[in-house]
């Protein structure tokens, strides 16, 4: 079974509107972390936001927020006020295990291609 | 802040030739380090990770190997490249500050095996 599922291969949004990118995860580990990355056409992976499994509040970083619903095992990324430069591939990832532990690693979803229209 | 360097940026190699990709990290100590591969139009696959000098964990069986000779140096190698080794190779370093955790990636190496 896939550990990270991104069901939207592609999404379109109008400039200045908000968009939600879906991510669901599967783990039995009580300690885990969830990440979102942006990959523009240049190929670099840009860290956007992190949510720990024990964090009580949803993470926010500028225009990015993570809608963390633990019981539903979902970690959707919300981008507010979309900009043309937001057009890119977006990856959801999960870290299982304790930080620094021998089984600590990231598993990535297949990504969602976001296109922002002017 | 952390900076990750990778070289070379692009590499074209014949089948059967050796490979050495290097990753170095600045701005942190004792990081967890990772090698990922991304095939064209696909997600990232974890190849190796290391929690310390000389400590390497392999995620998938393959003809690649990794070494960590120094705290902030991570090397990906192969004795004989296969066509299927073509891809985009990314090195990453993780860091934790309090409850917040980040994983930073290097600029990547595009490898084409012909």
């Amino acid at each position: 079974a896939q550990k990270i599922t991104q069901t939207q291969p592609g999404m379109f949004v109008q400039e200045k509107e908000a968009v939600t990118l879906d991510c669901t995860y599967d783990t039995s580990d009580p300690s885990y972390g969830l990440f979102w990355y942006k990959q523009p056409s240049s190929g670099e992976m840009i860290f956007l936001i992190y949510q720990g499994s024990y964090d009580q509040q949803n993470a926010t970083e500028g225009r990015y927020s993570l809608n963390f619903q633990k019981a539903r095992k979902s970690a959707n990324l919300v981008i507010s006020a979309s900009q043309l430069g937001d057009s890119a591939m977006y990856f959801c990832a999960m870290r299982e295990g304790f930080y620094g532990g021998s089984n600590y690693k990231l598993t990535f979803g297949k990504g969602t291609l976001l296109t922002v229209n002017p | 802040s952390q900076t990750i360097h990778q070289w070379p940026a692009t590499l074209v190699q014949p089948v059967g030739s050796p490979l050495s990709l290097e990753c170095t990290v600045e701005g942190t100590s004792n990081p967890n380090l990772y090698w990922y591969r991304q095939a064209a139009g696909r997600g990232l696959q974890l190849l190796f990770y290391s929690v310390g000098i000389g400590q390497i964990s392999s995620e998938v069986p393959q003809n690649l190997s990794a070494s960590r000779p120094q705290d902030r140096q991570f090397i990906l190698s192969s004795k004989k490249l296969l066509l299927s080794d073509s891809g985009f190779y990314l090195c990453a370093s993780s860091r934790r500050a309090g409850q917040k955790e980040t994983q930073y990636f290097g600029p990547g190496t595009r490898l084409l095996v012909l």
Side-chain angles (χ1 to χ4, degrees):
Chain A
Q2 285 190 19
K3 294 206 171 191
I4 294 285
T5 303
Q6 294 181 253
T7 57
Q8 308 152 313
M11 285 284 286
F12 293 89
V13 65
Q14 210 62 28
E15 193 179 7
K16 300 181 184 178
E17 292 184 352
V19 63
T20 298
L21 306 183
D22 294 342
C23 173
T24 57
Y25 59 93
D26 182 26
T27 181
S28 56
D29 196 325
S31 176
Y32 56 90
L34 297 156
F35 301 76
W36 277 94
Y37 287 88
K38 171 184 178 182
Q39 187 177 41
S41 56
S42 59
E44 58 185 315
M45 291 288 284
I46 302 168
F47 167 79
L48 297 178
I49 199 165
Y50 166 79
Q51 178 88 40
S53 59
Y54 296 117
D55 294 344
Q56 296 296 314
Q57 293 185 325
N58 287 344
T60 59
E61 294 281 353
R63 293 188 298 112
Y64 304 107
S65 61
L66 200 152
N67 184 3
F68 183 44
Q69 298 188 40
K70 197 169 183 177
R72 299 174 68 176
K73 293 190 175 179
S74 84
N76 298 339
L77 177 70
V78 180
I79 305 175
S80 63
S82 297
Q83 302 172 356
L84 296 178
D86 293 335
S87 293
M89 198 74 170
Y90 288 80
F91 290 97
C92 179
M94 177 174 65
R95 178 269 298 160
E96 294 176 285
F98 290 98
Y99 182 86
S102 60
N103 64 340
Y104 178 94
K105 55 189 176 182
L106 282 191
T107 304
F108 282 78
K110 295 185 177 180
T112 296
L113 181 61
L114 176 67
T115 303
V116 180
N117 294 318
Chain B
S1 63
Q2 247 182 85
T3 304
I4 301 174
H5 301 281
Q6 284 187 249
W7 61 90
T10 305
L11 192 60
V12 181
Q13 291 284 94
V15 169
S17 63
L19 174 74
S20 181
L21 302 182
E22 188 161 345
C23 169
T24 58
V25 183
E26 291 180 4
T28 187
S29 59
N30 196 30
N32 289 346
L33 297 175
Y34 308 82
W35 277 112
Y36 292 88
R37 177 171 60 203
Q38 185 178 30
R42 301 183 68 178
L44 274 69
Q45 179 188 35
L46 179 63
L47 300 176
F48 300 95
Y49 66 100
S50 171
V51 298
I53 296 174
Q55 299 180 61
I56 309 293
S57 296
S58 174
E59 282 298 296
V60 293
Q62 58 205 316
N63 70 322
L64 299 172
S65 62
S67 62
R68 184 168 177 178
Q70 300 180 44
D71 181 46
R72 288 173 284 179
Q73 185 185 29
F74 205 23
I75 298 172
L76 184 68
S77 304
S78 174
K79 292 182 179 178
K80 288 185 177 181
L81 284 169
L82 306 173
L83 288 174
S84 57
D85 291 325
S86 293
F88 188 45
Y89 289 82
L90 288 154
C91 177
S93 169
S94 63
R95 173 173 168 262
R96 188 167 192 172
Q99 296 302 311
K100 188 172 179 179
E101 179 182 337
T102 52
Q103 280 222 3
Y104 293 103
F105 283 79
T109 294
R110 295 193 185 276
L111 172 66
L112 179 60
V113 182
L114 299 175

